[in-house]
Amino acid sequence: MAPIFDRMPNLAPLFPYILAIHVTLAISLFVPSLLLPFTLRNRSVERGVVPERPGGFVGLLQWLQAHGTVVIGAGLALTGFAMLAVLSPRILEQPWLMVSLATYAVTAVIAFAYQRPGLRRLQAREALASDADRAAWRARARRQRYIAYGITTAVGLIAFLMSTKPALW
């Protein structure tokens, strides 16, 4: 039986398109995780205050975060596997690419599995009845902002590695 790479179609000519789709999907997954914690920062959770409806851009980010992440995640997985099929032999020759991919995978898991549910809990403010509830909400909001700082740092590291292609070892 032939190895799996011998039976796969040659995806190399499609690589620029696969990469463009993958980057677009990655941006649409990460942008809500990066920006939404900061849009919630100035929202009042004091007793009796009715939160104003979010603007168009924030509403779009909230919709993407609530409805689009499963589809976006599936698209990222498909395009990611397609890129790995094209690059697989070269990945081992380029340590900066391995580090970038590992950082990207960890960041994607954090954004999808931790940041997304955390933001959903922050958007539901109906159960904030006591001062302790409001203090806990503020602490969760602060934690989500710190996670957003970490995701931003990881994205910056990935961009640095991709643009400089340093010799790591």
Side-chain angles (χ1 to χ4, degrees):
M1 186 181 264
I4 191 167
F5 291 112
D6 292 342
R7 291 181 280 154
M8 289 181 57
N10 182 12
L11 297 176
L14 298 175
F15 185 76
Y17 301 108
I18 295 169
L19 179 63
I21 292 168
H22 189 80
V23 168
T24 302
L25 290 172
I27 289 170
S28 59
L29 177 68
F30 285 124
V31 165
S33 294
L34 295 175
L35 297 181
L36 279 176
F38 299 100
T39 65
L40 297 171
R41 181 181 206 163
N42 295 326
R43 306 249 174 177
S44 179
V45 291
E46 297 305 320
R47 182 175 293 139
V49 174
V50 177
E52 61 186 63
R53 213 168 141 82
F57 181 68
V58 173
L60 173 66
L61 292 176
Q62 288 177 334
W63 187 90
L64 273 174
Q65 190 77 11
H67 298 63
T69 52
V70 172
V71 173
I72 293 168
L76 276 172
L78 288 173
T79 56
F81 287 129
M83 288 191 316
L84 286 175
V86 173
L87 296 175
S88 62
R90 286 196 261 161
I91 290 176
L92 297 175
E93 299 169 4
Q94 301 170 0
W96 61 268
L97 186 55
M98 290 189 322
V99 171
S100 295
L101 289 173
T103 304
Y104 174 71
V106 168
T107 305
V109 166
I110 290 170
F112 186 78
Y114 187 78
Q115 184 83 338
R116 179 178 166 245
L119 287 170
R120 186 174 295 146
R121 282 191 301 274
L122 285 176
Q123 291 172 353
R125 292 186 280 206
E126 294 80 28
L128 300 176
S130 68
D131 289 337
D133 292 338
R134 286 186 277 284
W137 185 92
R138 286 186 190 98
R140 282 194 308 272
R142 189 176 319 109
R143 193 170 29 251
Q144 291 296 324
R145 286 193 301 273
Y146 292 147
I147 293 167
Y149 292 138
I151 291 173
T152 303
T153 302
V155 169
L157 173 66
I158 293 166
F160 172 77
L161 291 170
M162 293 294 206
S163 62
T164 61
K165 299 171 182 58
L168 297 178
W169 57 79

